[in-house]
Amino acid sequence: MVACVPIFGFILTLAVVAGYICCTVTNYWFMIPSVTWGLWQRCITLVFGDCGDIGMEDLPAFLHIARGCMVGASVVGVIAIVITLVGLIQAYGATKVKIGGILIILSASAVATGTIWYAVERATNTLTDDYKFGYSIIIGWVTVPLAIIAGSMQLTAANRH
């Protein structure tokens, strides 16, 4: 059973990083009637689903922070996958599995920072009470505890070798 724990942690890490990437690239972070926002685009649904890129100029700081946290977490998550996979393949790769576990937990803190900061800023700066959070940001919130569980599984299993 102990030998299966890092493998389950690795499979959960794959799912978590897929969630990070899905959360980062989709445009349903925040919605009010007829408009949806993501990190990269704003879509107006009244005009045939017309989407426009959000440029880099005149953006609020929270959007830059959310973008940086999500892209950074995705990159660190992919690195954690590679390091963990190498550690699982090697006969004495427990240290690499530990490093992968630490990296996936650190990426969870970046996702938590980006999604929570974005949600607080959008909700407090919206003039209407008729808003809701989209599936993109909810995927981000769900992946945080899953990443902590995956990293913990990798750390505890690597300690037993």
Side-chain angles (χ1 to χ4, degrees):
M1 180 65 178
V2 174
C4 293
V5 173
I7 295 171
F8 290 139
F10 176 71
I11 292 170
L12 192 55
T13 299
L14 288 173
V16 163
V17 173
Y20 290 171
I21 293 169
C22 176
C23 180
T24 303
V25 300
T26 53
N27 295 324
Y28 293 96
W29 278 55
F30 186 78
M31 298 182 289
I32 60 172
S34 75
V35 181
T36 62
W37 279 277
L39 294 179
W40 311 103
Q41 288 186 333
R42 181 186 69 196
C43 298
I44 301 171
T45 56
L46 287 177
V47 188
F48 307 111
D50 195 20
C51 292
D53 290 338
I54 301 173
M56 293 297 287
E57 64 283 338
D58 298 331
L59 285 180
F62 75 89
L63 195 56
H64 287 295
I65 292 168
R67 285 178 175 183
C69 286
M70 295 306 296
V71 170
S74 298
V75 170
V76 170
V78 170
I79 292 170
I81 287 173
V82 171
I83 290 174
T84 303
L85 183 61
V86 169
L88 290 174
I89 292 172
Q90 291 179 344
Y92 298 103
T95 304
K96 290 184 175 113
V97 174
K98 282 184 189 179
I99 292 170
I102 291 168
L103 287 176
I104 201 68
I105 291 172
L106 289 175
S107 71
S109 66
V111 170
T113 301
T115 56
I116 292 169
W117 199 324
Y118 184 94
V120 168
E121 289 294 326
R122 274 285 184 214
T124 57
N125 295 328
T126 301
L127 299 176
T128 179
D129 289 337
D130 189 19
Y131 67 86
K132 56 186 172 182
F133 296 112
Y135 71 86
S136 300
I137 200 165
I138 293 171
I139 289 172
W141 290 335
V142 168
T143 57
V144 170
L146 292 177
I148 293 170
I149 291 168
S152 300
M153 290 172 76
Q154 292 174 5
L155 286 173
T156 56
N159 284 334
R160 296 184 181 182
H161 286 270

